[in-house]
C-alpha cells in the first residue's frame, strides 16, 4: 500500500491551538493586542522593519495598498497575466485597468522587456508578482520604475521570506502585499499584510481598513471593514516563529526534487535569489499532455496543482486581447508537485519516480 501524498498540507500545532484559546478566553476578539503585536513581529522578521498593516486577506492587502497609493479610475497598472486572479481583481476593484505583461521563462515573473514595452501615458504603476516564492528581477524592474517615475508595487502573497540580493521582497516597492491563506508558507486562516515605508500610505491604509476611522466613531474618509481578527493574528504570531525553518525545509525539498527529476523542466533559482518555494512547479516536455500526467498521478494517489491553467488575460471577467506567448506556453505545460514542510524523503522519492515514469520520452 502506498500513502496518498497531498499537494499541500497546512501545519498547525498545539502552540496555535493554545494561542487561539488564549484569545477566546480573553473575550477580546477584535482590535486587541494581538494584531498590533503581529504587525510588529512580521515587520522585524520578514520585511526589514517596514511598517505593516494587517488585513483580512491578501486581496484586501493589494486592494487597500493600491487605493492608499492613489491608484484609481483612468490609471493603468502593468501586471503579469500569469498570476492568481486576486492580483488583477485588486487592480480592477481599485477602478484601474490591468495591462498584462508577459513573464520571463526562467523566473515565471514579470519580464522586464515586456513591462517596458507596455509603458504609456496612463501607466501609473507596475505591480510585480514574486510567483511561487521566486523574486521578480528587482534590479531591472526597480531601475525601470525609477527611470520612468512610475510607481512599483509588489504582490508578495507567495513569497514570505524570499530575498533579492539579500533584501526581502515586499521591501522594494511603495508597498508590498502578503497573503496568509492556509496553503501559503505561513497562515492565519484568512489574512493579509500591507507593508510600506511610506508613512502617509500606511496611515491611509489603516483608515481604509477600519471604515475610515482612526478612533471609534470619528470617521475621516469612506472605508471598508477589512480588519484582521485577534484569533487570526494570534495564529500568525505563532506561525511566524516557524517561517524561516519551514522555508529552509521547502528549499531542501526543492533541491531533492531537482536532483531526482529527469524529464520535466525543474524550477531555476536566480543567482541573487533566496527562493522560498511556495510552489514547486515543473513543465512537461513537448509531446506530453500535462493534464493526463496529473490525472494519472491522481490515480496513483499523488496530489498536484496547476497554477495557473488559465492566465488572467483569458479569464472571462478579466479578459484582454493581448498576445502573451510565454504565459500561454507555460500555463498549458506547468503543474505543481507536493510541497509542504512535513513532506518526507520516501514520499518525495516516490513522487519523483512516478513523475519520471509518466513523462518519459516515447519511441
Ligand atoms: C499571487 C497572489 N496574489 C494574490 C493572492 C490573494 O490572496 P488571498 O487569497 O489571501 O486574498 C494570492 C493568494 O491566494 C496569490 O497567490
Amino acid at each position: 500500500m502506498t500513502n496518498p501524498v497531498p499537494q499541500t498540507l497546512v501545519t498547525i500545532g498545539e502552540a496555535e491551538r493554545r494561542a487561539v484559546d488564549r484569545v477566546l478566553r480573553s473575550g477580546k476578539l477584535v482590535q486587541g493586542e494581538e494584531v498590533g503585536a503581529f504587525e510588529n513581529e512580521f515587520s522585524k522578521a520578514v520585511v526589514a522593519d517596514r511598517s505593516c498593516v494587517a488585513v483580512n486577506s491578501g486581496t484586501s492587502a493589494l486592494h487597500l495598498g493600491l487605493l492608499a497609493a492613489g491608484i484609481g479610475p483612468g490609471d493603468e497598472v502593468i501586471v503579469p497575466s500569469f498570476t492568481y486572479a486576486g492580483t488583477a481583481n485588486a487592480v480592477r476593484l481599485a477602478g484601474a485597468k490591468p495591462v498584462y505583461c508577459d513573464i520571463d521563462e526562467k523566473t515565471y515573473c514579470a519580464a522586464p522587456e515586456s513591462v517596458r514595452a507596455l509603458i504609456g501615458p496612463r501607466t501609473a504603476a507596475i505591480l510585480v508578482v514574486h510567483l511561487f516564492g521566486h523574486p521578480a528581477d528587482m534590479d531591472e524592474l526597480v531601475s525601470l520604475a525609477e527611470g520612468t517615475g512610475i510607481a512599483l508595487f509588489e504582490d508578495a502573497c507567495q513569497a514570505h521570506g524570499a530575498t533579492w540580493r539579500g533584501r526581502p521582497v515586499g521591501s522594494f516597492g511603495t508597498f508590498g502585499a502578503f497573503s496568509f491563506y492556509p496553503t501559503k508558507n505561513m497562515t492565519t486562516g484568512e489574512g493579509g499584510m500591507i507593508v510600506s515605508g511610506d508613512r502617509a500610505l500606511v496611515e491611509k491604509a489603516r483608515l481604509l481598513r477600519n471604515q475610515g476611522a482612526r478612533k471609534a466613531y470619528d470617521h475621516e474618509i469612506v472605508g471598508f471593514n477589512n480588519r484582521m481578527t485577534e484569533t487570526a493574528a494570534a495564529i500568525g504570531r505563532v506561525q511566524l516563529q516557524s517561517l524561516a525553518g519551514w522555508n529552509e525545509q521547502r528549499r531542501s525539498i526543492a533541491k531533492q526534487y531537482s536532483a531526482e527529476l529527469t524529464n520535466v523542466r525543474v524550477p531555476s533559482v536566480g543567482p541573487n535569489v533566496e527562493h522560498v518555494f511556495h510552489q514547486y512547479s515543473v513543465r512537461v516536455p513537448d509531446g506530453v499532455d500535462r493534464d493526463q500526467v496529473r490525472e494519472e498521478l491522481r490515480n496513483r494517489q499523488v496530489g498536484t496543482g496547476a497554477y495557473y491553467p488559465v492566465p488572467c488575460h483569458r479569464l472571462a471577467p478579466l479578459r484582454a486581447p493581448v498576445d502573451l506567448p510565454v504565459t500561454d506556453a507555460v500555463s498549458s505545460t506547468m503543474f505543481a508537485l507536493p510541497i509542504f514542510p512535513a513532506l518526507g524523503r520516501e514520499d518525495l522519492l516516490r513522487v519523483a519516480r512516478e513523475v519520471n515514469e509518466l513523462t518519459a520520452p516515447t519511441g
Side-chain angles (χ1 to χ4, degrees):
M1 257 301 273
T2 49
N3 286 331
V5 186
Q7 200 260 317
T8 180
L9 189 68
V10 186
T11 313
I12 295 282
E14 269 312 307
E16 283 87 344
R17 287 187 195 95
R18 277 198 302 274
V20 170
D21 194 49
R22 182 183 73 234
V23 172
L24 295 180
R25 284 175 198 281
S26 78
K28 188 92 182 148
L29 302 188
V30 293
Q31 294 176 292
E33 308 289 312
E34 299 286 338
V35 169
F38 181 41
E39 288 173 343
N40 289 337
E41 289 159 13
F42 192 84
S43 166
K44 283 195 181 61
V46 183
V47 285
D49 290 322
R50 283 216 161 179
S51 299
C52 290
V53 182
V55 289
N56 58 352
S57 73
T59 309
S60 297
L62 286 165
H63 181 208
L64 299 196
L66 288 162
L67 292 177
I71 300 299
D75 290 334
E76 291 183 355
V77 177
I78 300 175
V79 61
S81 171
F82 192 61
T83 180
Y84 182 56
T87 315
N89 277 340
V91 174
R92 285 282 295 275
L93 288 169
K97 178 182 172 192
V99 172
Y100 300 114
C101 66
D102 213 345
I103 50 167
D104 177 84
E105 263 199 278
K106 284 207 173 105
T107 65
Y108 306 126
C109 300
E113 64 279 11
S114 173
V115 173
R116 189 176 290 113
L118 293 169
I119 292 174
R122 289 183 178 277
T123 308
I126 305 163
L127 172 54
V128 301
V129 182
H130 304 298
L131 200 72
F132 304 146
H134 190 296
D137 182 338
M138 297 317 283
D139 287 355
E140 289 287 328
L141 292 161
V142 167
S143 85
L144 184 55
E146 282 174 358
T148 52
I150 290 167
L152 182 75
F153 308 143
E154 298 174 78
D155 179 338
C157 284
Q158 302 186 357
H160 321 62
T163 63
W164 175 267
R165 293 194 193 282
R167 182 170 163 186
V169 302
S171 73
F172 289 85
T174 312
F175 80 88
F178 290 83
S179 163
F180 304 117
Y181 183 76
T183 58
K184 298 298 194 264
N185 292 34
M186 60 172 286
T187 187
T188 61
E190 294 277 12
M193 194 73 86
I194 304 162
V195 168
S196 179
D198 177 329
R199 277 179 69 167
L201 187 150
V202 169
E203 283 309 304
K204 186 86 185 276
R206 286 192 193 286
L207 287 177
L208 288 167
R209 161 179 82 170
N210 188 36
Q211 308 280 13
R214 225 174 294 248
K215 295 196 300 261
Y217 307 114
D218 183 8
H219 301 269
E220 300 169 35
I221 58 171
V222 173
F224 303 83
N225 173 3
N226 284 350
R227 296 183 297 259
M228 176 177 274
T229 64
E230 288 284 285
T231 43
I235 296 170
R237 293 180 69 192
V238 176
Q239 293 258 313
L240 193 53
Q241 293 171 26
S242 299
L243 177 66
W246 286 338
N247 283 346
E248 205 48 65
Q249 283 166 300
R250 285 174 179 272
R251 273 191 288 274
S252 161
I253 289 164
K255 202 166 160 193
Q256 294 174 64
Y257 269 140
S258 295
E260 298 295 329
L261 292 165
T262 50
N263 310 321
V264 291
R265 178 149 163 194
V266 301
S268 37
V269 183
N272 312 312
V273 160
E274 187 92 296
H275 197 325
V276 292
F277 287 100
H278 167 58
Q279 297 296 350
Y280 184 91
S281 288
V282 299
R283 290 181 68 189
V284 293
D286 287 347
V288 172
D289 184 322
R290 183 264 317 266
D291 297 330
Q292 262 175 19
V293 172
R294 290 191 64 207
E295 178 65 23
E296 191 46 42
L297 284 168
R298 196 162 66 89
N299 295 338
R300 298 179 187 193
Q301 312 234 54
V302 174
T304 63
Y307 311 105
Y308 295 92
V310 185
C312 292
H313 75 285
R314 297 188 182 281
L315 290 172
L318 297 168
R319 187 167 289 148
V322 287
D323 185 28
L324 303 174
V326 182
T327 294
D328 283 334
V330 171
S331 60
S332 60
T333 53
M334 178 170 270
F335 71 104
L337 299 186
I339 188 160
F340 46 90
L343 180 65
R345 172 106 178 128
E346 239 178 73
D347 284 342
L348 181 152
L349 290 176
R350 179 168 83 83
V351 172
R353 241 188 351 261
E354 307 275 22
V355 172
N356 286 343
E357 189 187 311
L358 292 167
T359 55
T362 49

